Amino acid sequence: MRVLFLRHGESAHNAHTGEEELSAELGDVLTERGRAQAEAAGEGLRDQGITRLFTSPMRRATETAEALGAALDLRPEPIPYAFELHHGETFADGIERVHLLKARFEQEAAAAGDDDLPLLVTHGILTRFFLLDSVLGDAFTAQVAERIWHLGSANCAVSTFKVGEVVEPGGAPAAVGWTCLSWMARPWDPQ
């Protein structure tokens, strides 16, 4: 089964360039540009066969998911542990939430099979953690996570993961487990 991860649209925090800090409440809303990004992503994903729409409980993600849901004719379902990693949260806490996501999607894959295509609207850091845990396994450590910013992300960009076996062309060994098939793509964005 494939699972799509979409980073939320541009938030006030993402766009903020001032020296004064924004409150969490003011920073966690989509900007006008973020709403336009979410609408464009919804239009771009409309014909992809998405069967379920999940979202982080954080406002910038739920606002993005609502715009996607309108285009996809799906109601967003919150996943309470799919939120952004926050100040004070440990590396182990973040990994635990990634493992909860993986277990949930693996259970759904076993029940629904390859015809199910869920999309999760979430956050850049959580998506990076998901990727690096999938690629590195136990070698993904807190020390490695310090360099996570070297892995770029973009607002309203989609990453595709697959659980199961992925056979590489040309006879290369198959990858088993979670594989990243695409990273932070925005084919609907003309820029």
Side-chain angles (χ1 to χ4, degrees), residues 4 17 27 35 47 51-52 66-67 88 99 113-114 127 130 174 180 183:
L4 306 179
T17 58
R35 285 187 293 281
D47 296 326
T51 55
R52 298 191 66 193
E66 288 166 3
H99 292 170
D114 287 338
T127 304
F130 194 96
C180 182
W183 180 254

Side-chain angles (χ1 to χ4, degrees), residues 1-6 45 48-55 65 68-69 72-79 104-105 107-109 111-113 115-121:
M1 176 176 81
R2 291 181 303 136
V3 179
L4 306 179
F5 278 52
L6 184 97
L45 292 167
Q48 299 302 310
I50 295 167
T51 55
R52 298 191 66 193
L53 178 59
F54 298 104
T55 185
L68 287 166
L72 302 173
D73 197 27
L74 293 171
R75 190 177 142 270
E77 301 173 47
I79 296 179
R104 179 183 182 137
F105 288 129
Q107 288 173 348
E108 291 186 10
D115 293 336
D116 196 28
L117 180 59
L119 182 147
L120 170 63
V121 178

Side-chain angles (χ1 to χ4, degrees):
M1 176 176 81
R2 291 181 303 136
V3 179
L4 306 179
F5 278 52
L6 184 97
R7 185 179 180 213
H8 59 79
E10 181 185 76
S11 68
H13 272 303
N14 296 144
H16 185 62
T17 58
E19 290 185 22
E20 73 283 352
E21 261 189 59
L22 289 177
S23 69
E25 184 177 329
L26 291 176
D28 196 32
V29 298
L30 291 184
T31 62
E32 186 174 317
R33 180 178 184 197
R35 285 187 293 281
Q37 290 171 335
E39 290 169 6
E43 290 299 316
L45 292 167
R46 180 177 293 187
D47 296 326
Q48 299 302 310
I50 295 167
T51 55
R52 298 191 66 193
L53 178 59
F54 298 104
T55 185
S56 155
M58 296 183 80
R59 186 171 174 181
R60 61 190 179 265
T62 60
E63 288 181 5
T64 302
E66 288 166 3
L68 287 166
L72 302 173
D73 197 27
L74 293 171
R75 190 177 142 270
E77 301 173 47
I79 296 179
Y81 46 85
F83 57 87
E84 182 69 281
L85 275 70
H86 55 81
H87 186 68
E89 186 175 22
T90 67
F91 175 80
D93 294 336
I95 289 297
E96 180 180 345
R97 290 193 295 108
V98 164
H99 292 170
L100 287 171
L101 280 172
K102 287 181 174 183
R104 179 183 182 137
F105 288 129
E106 288 166 8
Q107 288 173 348
E108 291 186 10
D114 287 338
D115 293 336
D116 196 28
L117 180 59
L119 182 147
L120 170 63
V121 178
T122 190
H123 307 274
I125 296 174
L126 186 64
T127 304
R128 288 177 179 110
F129 263 59
F130 194 96
L131 170 71
L132 292 172
D133 183 68
S134 298
V135 172
L136 299 175
D138 291 340
F140 181 41
T141 63
Q143 185 176 3
V144 173
E146 292 174 10
R147 298 188 51 84
I148 205 164
W149 300 109
H150 293 268
L151 183 57
S153 70
N155 291 112
C156 266
V158 66
S159 300
T160 307
F161 295 92
K162 182 175 181 178
V163 63
E165 185 174 278
V166 176
V167 179
E168 291 294 321
V176 178
W178 284 93
T179 303
C180 182
L181 301 177
S182 70
W183 180 254
M184 293 289 167
R186 292 188 344 186
W188 47 83
D189 189 355
Q191 297 176 357

